[in-house]
């Protein structure tokens, strides 16, 4: 390649890698924050995490004790001789209440209330962001709220202070505002841009990789290896950033040392899809590197092509059949999101078929016939055949 073409080709790969990182973040946002099923699933995982549940139980009991003077309530019910022990009894009950709430949050009923509240709130959130009506919540007024009042009532009943807790609770107790009405317009525009951007970036990245390989005449295998390495790099960046950014966010937002571990668990659960995208890119990159190596001049790669040449030449359907069987097994397994969606399956199938066909043609050019099929050399006219 000329120097100008080389700059163009490698520039396309670099630009495609950068857009791939940005596109991965948009895909994560779309699949995690705007997908109700994914939101509900991750919320259930958050409540099921022991560290998160323990911290949540402690915080809920502390809030309830702030609203109800348990020591005063005990003092009013205890006989005069035992009234001095009311503070100590209240502290012991608080410790027991934390264990009781933690046990309550592990029950199927509590988890069902939690998931139902999250699904209802997220459904309303997505409808509002899409400019649709969500019952009493619309684009003109109202906030999108996660209502956990039923769960708090159940916790109060388990502790035995439901009446006092309700009487002393503020009107917004148990309600978490996910989006305020004055933020709706900006959020709706951001969601519209995100949906368009995620599709555009996917098409642009694929087009840039394909164009770079096409323009690298004479060095297409090298460009294939470079493209695979860029996918591996992008996957590693996402995996590392997920860890580093999570640690930085936890350290900046959480100042209580005891709460850092559960908050870090929440971050890892809510960004699991981002980690899956990183692992998928890393895996795809390794497969591209293997494909480039199989077409290379190394002795093992040449031996593999020589071994497969008769099958490629005489029984190509066997190779395609084995590849199809392996591909179907991977699709049934569904390790990545692309293997669980029709568009992703179609793209992967097309790339697999194209790769095998290119590999088959290269192999047949190198080994057009087996050594046993080389015709016997005939003597020239008037020349005696050589003695063997």
């Amino acid at each position: 390649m000329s120097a100008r073409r080389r700059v163009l080709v490698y520039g396309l790969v670099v630009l495609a890698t950068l857009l791939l990182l940005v596109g991965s973040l948009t895909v994560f946002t779309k699949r995690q924050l705007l997908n109700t099923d994914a939101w509900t699933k991750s919320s259930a995982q958050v409540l099921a995490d022991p560290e998160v549940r323990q911290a949540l139980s402690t915080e809920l009991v502390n809030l309830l004790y702030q609203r109800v003077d348990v020591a005063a309530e005990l003092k009013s019910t205890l006989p005069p001789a035992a009234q001095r022990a009311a503070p100590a009894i209240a502290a012991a009950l608080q410790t027991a209440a934390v264990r009781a709430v933690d046990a309550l949050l592990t029950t199927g009923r509590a988890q069902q209330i939690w998931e139902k509240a999250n699904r209802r709130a997220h459904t309303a959130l997505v409808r509002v962001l899409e400019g649709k009506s969500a019952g009493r919540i619309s684009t003109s007024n109202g906030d999108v709220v996660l209502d956990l009042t039923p769960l708090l009532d159940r916790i109060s009943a388990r502790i035995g202070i439901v009446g006092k807790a309700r009487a002393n609770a503020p009107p917004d107790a148990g309600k978490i505002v996910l989006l305020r009405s004055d933020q709706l317009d900006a959020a709706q525009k951001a969601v519209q841009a995100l949906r368009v951007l995620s599709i555009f970036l996917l098409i642009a990245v694929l087009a840039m990789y394909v164009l770079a390989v096409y323009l690298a005449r004479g060095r297409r295998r090298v460009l294939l290896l470079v493209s695979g390495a860029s996918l591996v790099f992008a996957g590693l960046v996402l995996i590392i950033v997920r860890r580093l950014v999570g640690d930085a966010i936890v350290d900046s937002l959480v100042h209580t040392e005891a709460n850092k571990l559960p908050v870090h668990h929440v971050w890892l659960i809510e960004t699991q899809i981002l980690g899956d995208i990183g692992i998928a890119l890393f895996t795809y990159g390794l497969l591209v590197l293997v494909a480039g190596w199989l077409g290379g001049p190394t002795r093992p790669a040449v031996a593999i092509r020589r071994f497969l040449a008769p099958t490629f030449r005489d029984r190509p359907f066997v190779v395609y059949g084995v590849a199809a069987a392996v591909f179907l097994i991977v699709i049934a397994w569904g390790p990545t999101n692309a293997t669980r969606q029709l568009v992703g399956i179609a793209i992967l199938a097309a790339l697999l078929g194209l790769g095998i066909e290119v590999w088959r043609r290269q192999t047949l050019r190198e080994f057009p016939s087996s050594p046993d099929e080389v015709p016997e050399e005939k003597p020239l006219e008037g020349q005696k055949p050589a003695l063997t």
Side-chain angles (χ1 to χ4, degrees):
M1 292 187 296
S2 63
R4 184 175 299 178
R5 182 180 288 253
R6 188 178 299 111
V7 171
L8 174 61
V9 166
Y10 286 101
L12 285 172
V13 174
V14 172
L15 182 58
T17 305
L18 295 176
L19 291 181
L20 181 61
L21 291 172
V22 177
S24 299
L25 296 177
T26 62
V27 170
F28 158 71
T29 304
K30 183 178 177 181
R31 287 172 49 193
Q32 176 64 34
L33 301 183
L34 299 179
N35 187 293
T36 299
D37 291 335
W39 174 279
T40 306
K41 180 180 178 181
S42 63
S43 300
Q45 291 175 347
V46 167
L47 189 63
D49 186 275
E51 294 290 341
V52 177
R53 195 173 56 247
Q54 175 66 29
L56 181 60
S57 302
T58 303
E59 184 65 21
L60 288 173
V61 172
N62 290 339
L63 289 175
L64 291 173
Y65 265 63
Q66 290 173 8
R67 294 174 185 167
V68 179
D69 191 348
V70 178
E73 294 292 327
L74 289 172
K75 189 175 182 180
S76 63
T77 58
L78 290 173
Q83 289 181 356
R84 289 185 178 183
I89 297 174
L93 288 176
Q94 185 172 3
T95 302
V98 172
R99 293 196 296 267
V101 171
D102 183 76
L104 172 65
L105 294 179
T106 61
T107 62
R109 179 57 180 165
Q111 293 175 354
Q112 184 180 8
I113 294 174
W114 172 266
E115 292 182 22
K116 186 176 180 180
N118 275 276
R119 180 174 292 278
R120 185 188 301 112
H122 194 270
T123 301
L125 174 65
V126 173
R127 289 187 64 83
V128 167
L129 292 177
E130 292 176 347
K132 302 175 182 178
S133 175
R136 292 174 297 176
I137 303 171
S138 65
T139 57
S140 59
N141 54 21
D143 301 332
V144 181
V145 177
L146 174 61
D147 188 2
L148 297 177
T149 304
L151 184 59
L152 288 180
D153 288 343
R154 199 169 186 86
I155 291 172
S156 301
R158 174 63 66 95
I159 299 176
I161 56 174
V162 60
K164 293 289 184 179
R166 284 181 178 177
N168 298 332
D172 58 348
K175 297 180 180 179
I176 302 174
V177 178
L178 300 179
L179 187 67
R180 299 192 179 277
S181 57
D182 56 356
Q183 301 170 331
L184 291 178
D185 184 59
Q188 287 172 345
K189 292 179 180 178
V191 168
Q192 292 174 359
L194 180 66
R195 293 188 183 279
V196 176
L197 193 62
S198 60
I199 299 175
F200 169 76
L201 289 178
L202 175 61
I203 297 174
V205 168
L206 289 175
M208 287 180 183
Y209 278 126
V210 172
L211 183 60
V213 175
Y214 174 76
L215 293 177
R217 295 191 187 96
R219 296 182 64 83
R220 287 174 177 166
R221 190 184 65 84
V222 175
L223 255 294
L224 185 65
L225 293 173
V226 172
S227 300
S230 72
L231 291 177
V232 171
F233 170 77
L236 288 176
V237 167
L238 292 179
I239 295 172
I240 294 173
V241 165
R242 181 190 177 213
R243 292 283 181 176
L244 296 181
V245 172
D247 294 339
I249 290 177
V250 171
D251 291 337
S252 62
L253 296 181
V254 183
H255 304 291
T256 304
E257 193 66 30
N259 291 334
K260 287 188 176 181
L261 181 59
V263 174
H264 186 69
H265 283 201
V266 172
W267 168 264
L268 292 179
I269 291 172
E270 295 297 340
T271 58
Q272 184 175 354
I273 291 180
L274 185 63
D276 292 342
I277 294 174
I279 294 174
L281 290 178
F282 182 83
T283 304
Y284 296 152
L286 287 181
L287 293 176
V288 173
L289 289 175
V290 170
W293 175 81
L294 287 174
T298 61
R299 186 171 299 177
V302 174
I304 292 174
R305 294 197 297 273
R306 181 184 295 111
F307 174 77
L308 292 176
T311 306
F312 272 133
R313 183 176 55 254
D314 301 328
R315 296 180 298 276
F317 61 89
V318 174
V319 178
Y320 281 101
V322 172
V326 173
F327 182 75
L328 291 177
I329 292 174
V330 173
I331 296 302
W333 175 26
T336 64
N337 185 68
T339 58
R340 296 189 293 268
Q341 294 185 356
L342 184 59
V343 176
I345 293 174
I347 293 176
L348 292 177
L351 292 176
L352 177 62
L354 178 62
I356 293 178
E357 181 60 23
V358 171
W359 192 32
R360 186 184 73 85
R361 294 186 180 187
Q362 176 189 353
T363 301
L364 294 182
R365 284 196 302 268
E366 293 176 338
F367 307 100
S369 59
S370 62
D372 297 336
E373 296 175 351
V374 176
E376 184 179 354
E377 189 175 319
K378 295 181 179 180
L380 299 176
E381 186 177 354
Q383 180 181 1
K384 295 182 179 180
L387 297 178
T388 57

